[in-house]
Amino acid sequence: MAQLVRSRRKYLRLRQDEVAALADVSTRSVHAIESGKPTTRLDVLVAVLAVLGLTLRVVSPTESVDVR
């Protein structure tokens, strides 16, 4: 996920501080996400993903049907 977030940010030509401001989180949080820190808060991650046009999806391993 860290690599995807970093790649998407760079594709959008945004700096970490710009993403942080748009997501209303700290620049340190954006850096932690891009570094793969395992203790990032879910609300912070979701906010950063939203700014980047990404979403987080939880899928049950026993379900083969998309239940949107």
Side-chain angles (χ1 to χ4, degrees), residues 36-66:
K37 184 177 178 187
T39 57
T40 301
R41 287 180 19 195
L42 184 58
D43 61 328
V44 171
L45 175 61
V46 169
V48 169
L49 292 176
V51 165
L52 298 174
L54 301 170
T55 57
L56 183 64
R57 193 170 114 188
V58 178
V59 179
S60 169
T62 60
E63 291 181 28
S64 61
V65 177
D66 191 359

Side-chain angles (χ1 to χ4, degrees), residues 1-2 6 11 16 19-20 24-25 27-29 32 36 39 45 47 50 52-53 55 59-60 62 67:
M1 183 177 310
R6 184 181 314 108
Y11 173 79
Q16 286 182 343
V19 172
D24 197 26
V25 301
T27 303
R28 178 177 273 182
S29 293
T39 57
L45 175 61
L52 298 174
T55 57
V59 179
S60 169
T62 60
V67 292

